């Protein structure tokens, strides 16, 4: 244990050993563990430390430490929380991301741990507060803001607190009311319903009534009438009054400062990762957010001084309360930090061994395997991912000029590297109607015109099927499991048949090496399962061989099957199937490694040394969900933390990046013009993530539409298919799901109005 952790605070004993949330409250300037029954309750007079342990790429644990400062907390308590946060980080190896959280301005990430919301409570440990259970029930009025995480703020129980722009919740002893301002956001209305359900279960034993009141509608004998009586009768409400809490800091171009002996000094020059020295601390000022970057070899005292300097910097600049301060350690920088740089060259502390450790959390979750018991040092073996139902109908077309040519049934599964293809797989998923998997396969040597034509014709096919297919773009060498599995077998051959590809060869004076059934060809067989079999033509030389694999060597009318000494029985069986696929009825000549004939080596141009090194087939999945926007023409993303199916709002498009594939999910209520830009948006994301996160530029890219989600998308969620069948906007769906059809019928007048009128907010 390092010297920085010798005086370990007893409250931090054994922290960070399990996934999830751990919380301490500062009491008498010491951290005291909070009972789990108290999680989500934050008293305004107190300060807290929250540790979130989550699985990272490859299964390594990631740590986020948040210190939350109540608006009535003393400066000394808040300071203690900040200092203890640094000490807790030292216990965890000094690599946690640290966040300062100010009451009322909490980060989305912090709030995502406590869905549907946190509700700050009056009082604190020093004031001898009573628990809510000890208090007599008191009606409370809250303003409720947020589309995915909710920010609740108690406001005075008075008509003057209401306005036309927000959603309010009035919690009374016998009934909970939701008041929707006329200009309020549909998605905030939906989120408020989740809070009401939470209130009903937690504070009313699930037994109170729920009423929805619309701004501007007065019916004396309805819930609306009851609601206004509580405010002394109906009367017009005023406009929203902007308070300090409503001021949203503006993002500004990032500026970098060095921190030396607590002093902040501007660093001149273009923002570059190379400016960051590992023995120093830096401050990156982005306006709305301030980052502290800490070099790997800095000492704990330097880190504490850097945090204090950042606090003083924000104060001296008279920044709004909502300005966030986040501290990152070298090698563990967040995406939002790296996004301020044009690129982020790889080579950080998290690469290498850590990338290859652990488990694929999302797929284990799908299979019902608990994550807790997994050891962090276990090697990554790809679990069998969800595959499309077998027995479907496969149709394949090759692009040739402006047309698509059907591939004969006997050749389905042959792909040429100089060509582009459209694949349509039609199948049945359970009792559902027909589902469609529609992909463009792009050969690595194909011409741009063929690639564009493939995309255009695939879009036409998708439109003809009413937009229902899962639509994908797959690049040679990056074929995903669900694509490989529908072909038995799938073989990638050299060359191409397209007229455009042939013309390019002629124009450049190149030889045509397109595979033919009577030439010399070497075919490599790798992979052991239906979903990861990789069969591809390689250079016909002995150096291409590998002891871990099987190969087919075609020489004129002869075909040899070569079994490496470390190859598997499954590979050997696949080799025989591929030989029958390429040359039906041919008699195989068997050549086990070490027993090859002279004819075998002659066909390869002579015997040469070759490798026995195993080719890694590890696939690391690390799912993250993002919203996106265009700010002054710049493409920006924002992560949806601790995401769930409920975050897929019908009015939105979202990006799911699993590191092994990228999905753009399109809600039913998205504008039709925006739907046309799906693949362009997906490509913008891939370009950005390639630069900042090391994502492969040829990662599979999918368009998935609401209601047509395939199993290899839903596996990253705890998926409830009943939710996918509910029609309407976000608010209508939430009413039906939370309160059932009976209650929804009582609210039918609101639902009808929402159908008839476009969302105002």
């Amino acid at each position: 244990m390092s010297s920085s952790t010798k005086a370990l605070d007893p409250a931090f004993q054994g922290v960070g050993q399990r996934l999830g949330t751990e919380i301490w409250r500062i009491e008498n300037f010491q951290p005291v563990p909070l009972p789990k029954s108290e999680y989500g309750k934050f008293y305004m007079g107190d300060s807290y430390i929250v540790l979130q342990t989550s699985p990272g790429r490859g299964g390594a644990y990631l740590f986020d430490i948040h210190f939350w400062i109540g608006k009535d907390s003393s400066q000394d308590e808040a300071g203690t929380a900040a200092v203890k946060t640094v000490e807790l980080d030292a216990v965890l190896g000094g690599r946690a991301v640290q966040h300062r959280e100010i009451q009322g301005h909490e980060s989305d990430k912090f709030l995502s741990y406590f869905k549907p919301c946190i509700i700050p409570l009056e009082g604190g440990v020093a004031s001898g507060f009573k628990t809510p259970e000890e208090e007599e029930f008191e009606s409370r009025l809250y303003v409720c803001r947020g589309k995915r995480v909710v920010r609740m703020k108690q406001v005075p129980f008075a008509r003057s607190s209401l306005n036309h722009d927000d959603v309010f919740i009035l919690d009374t002893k016998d009934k909970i009311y939701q008041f929707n301002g006329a200009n309020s956001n549909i998605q905030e209305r939906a989120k408020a319903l989740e809070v009401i359900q939470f209130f009903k279960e937690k504070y009313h034993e699930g037994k109170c009534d729920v009423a929805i009141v619309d701004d501007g509608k007065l019916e004396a004998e309805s819930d609306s009438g009851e609601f206004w009586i509580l405010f002394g009768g109906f009367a017009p409400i005023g406009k929203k009054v902007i308070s300090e809490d409503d001021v949203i800091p503006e993002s500004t171009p990032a500026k970098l400062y060095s921190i030396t002996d607590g002093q902040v000094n501007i660093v001149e020059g273009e923002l570059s990762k190379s400016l960051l020295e590992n023995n120093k601390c830096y401050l990156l000022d982005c306006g709305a957010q301030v980052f502290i970057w800490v070099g790997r070899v800095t000492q704990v005292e330097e880190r504490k001084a850097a945090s204090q300097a950042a606090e003083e910097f924000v104060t001296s600049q008279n920044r709004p309360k909502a300005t966030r301060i986040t501290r990152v350690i070298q090698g563990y920088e967040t995406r939002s930090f790296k996004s301020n740089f044009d690129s982020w060259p790889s080579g950080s502390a998290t690469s290498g061994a850590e990338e290859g450790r652990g488990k694929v959390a999302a797929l284990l979750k799908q299979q019902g395997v608990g994550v807790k018991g997994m050891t962090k040092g276990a090697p990554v073996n790809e679990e069998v991912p969800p595959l499309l139902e077998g027995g479907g109908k496969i149709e394949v077309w090759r692009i040739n000029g402006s047309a698509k040519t059907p591939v004969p049934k006997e050749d389905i599964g042959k792909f040429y590297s100089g060509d582009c293809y459209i694949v349509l797989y039609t199948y049945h998923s359970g009792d559902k109607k027909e589902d469609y998997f529609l992909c463009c396969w792009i050969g690595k040597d194909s011409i741009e015109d063929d690639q564009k034509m493939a995309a255009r014709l695939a879009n036409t096919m998708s439109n003809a099927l009413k937009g229902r297919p899962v639509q994908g773009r797959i690049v040679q060498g990056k074929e995903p499991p669900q694509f490989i599995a529908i072909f038995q077998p799938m073989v990638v051959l050299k060359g191409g048949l397209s007229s455009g590809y042939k013309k390019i060869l002629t124009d450049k004076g190149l030889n045509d090496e397109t595979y033919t059934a009577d030439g010399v060809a070497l075919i490599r067989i790798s992979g052991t399962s239906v979903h990861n079999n990789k069969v591809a033509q390689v250079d016909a030389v002995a150096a291409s061989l590998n002891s871990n694999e099987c190969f087919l060597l075609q020489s004129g009318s002869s075909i040899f099957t070569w079994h490496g000494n470390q190859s598997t029985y499954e590979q050997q069986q696949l080799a025989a199937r591929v030989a029958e696929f390429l040359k039906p009825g041919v008699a195989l000549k068997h050549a086990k490694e070490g027993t090859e004939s002279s004819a075998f080596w002659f066909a390869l141009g002579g015997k040469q040394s070759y490798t026995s090194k195993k080719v890694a087939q590890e696939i690391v999945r690390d799912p993250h969900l993002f919203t996106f926007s265009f700010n002054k023409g710049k493409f920006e993303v924002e992560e949806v933390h601790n995401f769930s199916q409920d975050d897929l709002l019908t009015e939105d498009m979202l990006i799911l990046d699993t590191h092994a594939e990228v999905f753009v999910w399109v809600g039913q209520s998205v504008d039709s013009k925006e739907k046309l830009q799906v693949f362009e948006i997906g490509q913008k994301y891939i370009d950005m993530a390639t630069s900042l996160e090391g994502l492969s530029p040829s990662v599979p890219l999918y368009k998935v539409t609401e209601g047509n989600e395939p199993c290899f998308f839903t596996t990253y969620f705890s998926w409830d298919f009943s939710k996918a069948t509910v029609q309407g906007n976000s608010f209508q769906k939430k009413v039906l799901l939370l309160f059932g059809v009976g209650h929804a019928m009582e609210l039918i007048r609101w639902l009808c109005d929402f159908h008839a009128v476009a969302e105002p907010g």
Side-chain angles (χ1 to χ4, degrees), residues 17 23 90 159 166 200 274 284 366 415 468 486 714 731:
Q17 299 300 308
I23 305 179
R159 183 187 288 104
D166 289 319
K200 182 177 177 179
S274 62
L284 185 69
Q366 186 266 339
F415 293 85
R468 287 183 50 217
I486 63 176
T714 60
F731 180 61

Side-chain angles (χ1 to χ4, degrees), residues 616-636:
Q617 295 237 7
E618 295 174 349
I619 294 181
V620 176
R621 285 183 166 81
D622 180 29
H624 294 267
L625 187 68
F626 300 93
T627 61
F628 63 87
S629 60
F630 290 90
N631 182 15
K632 297 178 182 177
K634 183 184 177 184
F635 180 75
E636 296 181 347

Side-chain angles (χ1 to χ4, degrees), residues 73 108 132 141 191 246 253 313 414 495-496 503 507 544 553 561 708 710 738:
S73 177
D108 286 5
L141 182 65
K191 269 298 175 192
D246 297 312
F313 177 85
K414 288 181 190 172
K503 184 175 185 305
D507 291 347
S544 297
L553 174 61
T561 175
N708 300 298
L738 290 183

Side-chain angles (χ1 to χ4, degrees), residues 538-560:
V538 295
D539 291 340
V541 293
S544 297
L545 299 174
N546 186 316
S547 300
N548 292 282
E549 297 169 336
C550 291
F551 290 78
L552 294 174
L553 174 61
Q554 176 185 295
S555 179
S557 59
S558 299
I559 189 161
F560 297 86

Side-chain angles (χ1 to χ4, degrees), residues 395-500:
E395 299 170 89
V396 183
W397 296 265
R398 179 172 48 80
I399 302 302
N400 195 26
S402 61
K404 62 183 197 295
T405 303
V407 173
K409 187 174 182 181
E410 63 272 16
D411 287 335
I412 287 178
K414 288 181 190 172
F415 293 85
Y416 289 85
S417 64
D419 291 338
C420 295
Y421 296 81
I422 296 174
V423 176
L424 176 63
Y425 183 61
T426 306
Y427 64 101
H428 286 85
S429 177
D431 297 330
K432 290 175 63 180
K433 56 193 174 185
E434 286 183 324
D435 283 318
Y436 305 97
F437 180 59
L438 175 66
C439 290
C440 295
W441 184 90
I442 309 297
K444 66 180 178 65
D445 301 319
S446 62
I447 63 171
E448 189 175 352
D449 285 349
D450 284 354
Q451 295 172 16
K452 289 179 178 177
M453 185 55 63
R456 193 174 306 139
L457 294 175
N459 282 336
T460 301
M461 293 174 66
S462 179
N463 292 337
L465 294 167
K466 300 180 179 177
R468 287 183 50 217
V470 174
Q471 198 174 340
R473 185 198 67 192
I474 293 170
V475 178
Q476 177 185 340
K478 285 289 184 177
E479 294 85 2
Q482 58 275 5
F483 184 83
I484 295 171
I486 63 176
F487 298 98
Q488 294 301 316
M490 174 189 168
V491 183
V492 179
L493 302 168
K494 288 189 173 187
L497 307 177
S498 128
S499 57

